[in-house]
Amino acid sequence: MTKTASDKPMRRPTGATPYAAIWFTLGGAGLGYLCVAFFAPHLLPDFSGGRLSERASETQVLQVSADVEYLKSSLTKLQADVESVKSDVSAQATQTLQLGSQLAALDEKVHAAPTQTSALVQSSPPPTPDVPDFASGATQAHVEDAPAAPPPTKVINASPQPAPQVGAPIVTGSVTKSTSADAISFGPAVVKPAPKPIGIQIATDASVDGLRITWSALAQTHPDQLGTLTAHYADLGTAANPNFGLIAGPIKSKADAKKICKELTAQSVSCKISDFKGAAL
């Protein structure tokens, strides 16, 4: 029994269909794109358009603006620092000029003071003691032995006398001498020397100029103790070893001098009580 043609199995065509070829082509293109994107991404075109470049340019502009603002603030701060340095330099220059003028004035005073002091010492006469003046070489014993002035007389009248008449004799009352109690006697003259003024010795130096500088510094540093005092210098050394002492005074009493010395010693200043002697500094 034979089969009909419709009963025979149909064979599929062995050749590639167009549909399979299209998919094969698309798959190869995708695989190639992935390989290029992985190994050489710079070869791929920019599909994002100009948006990314615009955003990048805006970001760069903002960053540049921020940098410019930072530079402006830095320049402003630098200018302020320069102005401050200029003001400091000008103030320092002014102070230097003032110090220079003060030093020049002090130098002039230092050079002029010895001449004034020597002229003052030469012009001032030596002090004379307060001694009573005995004229014509008379001594104190002669004055004591000289007769005192006659005491006044007293007139004692027993009764009031009538007015004298013309040609009548003049009648006087009795005249008696006063008692010895009415006589004035002078004792021997006593000369009391004036008490020496008190001072404090606060420094020594080999030159008078050094004492002037020391006194200027001490008077400015300790105005409460030395502000009202005057400075003298006294020669304490010899010709081979000159030494001068700085003496401040006058001070009313030794108690005040001890108090001032105690305060100066507490502030590391040497001090001892002395006579206020020497010449003006």
Side-chain angles (χ1 to χ4, degrees):
M1 189 174 171
T2 59
K3 294 181 180 181
T4 59
S6 60
D7 293 335
K8 293 181 180 180
M10 298 179 63
R11 295 181 178 178
R12 296 180 179 179
T14 59
T17 61
Y19 184 74
I22 291 171
W23 277 107
F24 181 77
T25 303
L26 292 175
L31 182 62
Y33 181 80
L34 291 177
C35 291
V36 172
F38 183 77
F39 293 104
H42 60 279
L43 298 177
L44 297 176
D46 187 8
F47 295 102
S48 61
R51 294 181 180 179
L52 294 177
S53 60
E54 290 178 359
R55 291 180 181 178
S57 62
E58 290 178 358
T59 304
Q60 292 178 356
V61 168
L62 291 176
Q63 186 175 0
V64 170
S65 300
D67 294 339
V68 170
E69 293 296 332
Y70 178 74
L71 289 175
K72 286 182 178 180
S73 63
S74 300
L75 288 175
T76 304
K77 185 177 180 181
L78 183 60
Q79 289 177 355
D81 294 340
V82 170
E83 293 296 332
S84 177
V85 171
K86 286 182 178 179
S87 62
D88 293 340
V89 170
S90 62
Q92 188 68 26
T94 304
Q95 291 180 358
T96 303
L97 291 176
Q98 291 178 356
L99 289 175
S101 61
Q102 291 178 359
L103 289 175
L106 183 60
D107 192 10
E108 292 179 358
K109 290 182 180 179
V110 167
H111 287 292
T115 306
Q116 296 177 358
T117 303
S118 60
L120 180 61
V121 171
Q122 292 176 0
S123 62
S124 61
T128 57
D130 188 9
V131 180
D133 186 10
F134 299 102
S136 304
T139 62
Q140 182 178 352
H142 293 166
V143 173
E144 292 177 356
D145 296 339
T153 59
K154 295 182 180 180
V155 179
I156 302 175
N157 296 324
S159 60
Q161 299 293 331
Q165 298 178 359
V166 178
I170 299 174
V171 180
T172 60
S174 60
V175 179
T176 60
K177 293 183 178 180
S178 62
T179 60
S180 61
D182 295 334
I184 301 174
S185 61
F186 296 92
V190 178
V191 180
K192 293 183 179 180
K196 294 182 180 180
I198 301 173
I200 53 174
Q201 181 177 330
I202 54 178
T204 57
D205 200 282
S207 64
V208 179
D209 294 339
L211 290 183
R212 289 192 181 94
I213 297 173
T214 303
W215 170 249
S216 178
L218 290 176
Q220 292 179 1
T221 308
H222 310 282
D224 296 336
Q225 293 81 16
L226 305 176
T228 58
L229 303 181
T230 306
H232 281 190
Y233 70 93
D235 191 356
L236 306 178
T238 59
N241 187 16
N243 189 21
F244 299 92
L246 176 60
I247 302 174
I251 303 175
K252 295 180 180 180
S253 62
K254 287 188 177 181
D256 295 339
K258 288 181 180 179
K259 180 180 178 182
I260 295 174
C261 274
K262 184 177 180 181
E263 293 175 357
L264 292 176
T265 304
Q267 298 178 13
S268 301
V269 178
S270 62
C271 179
K272 67 178 181 179
I273 300 174
S274 174
D275 294 335
F276 186 55
K277 58 185 178 179
L281 187 62

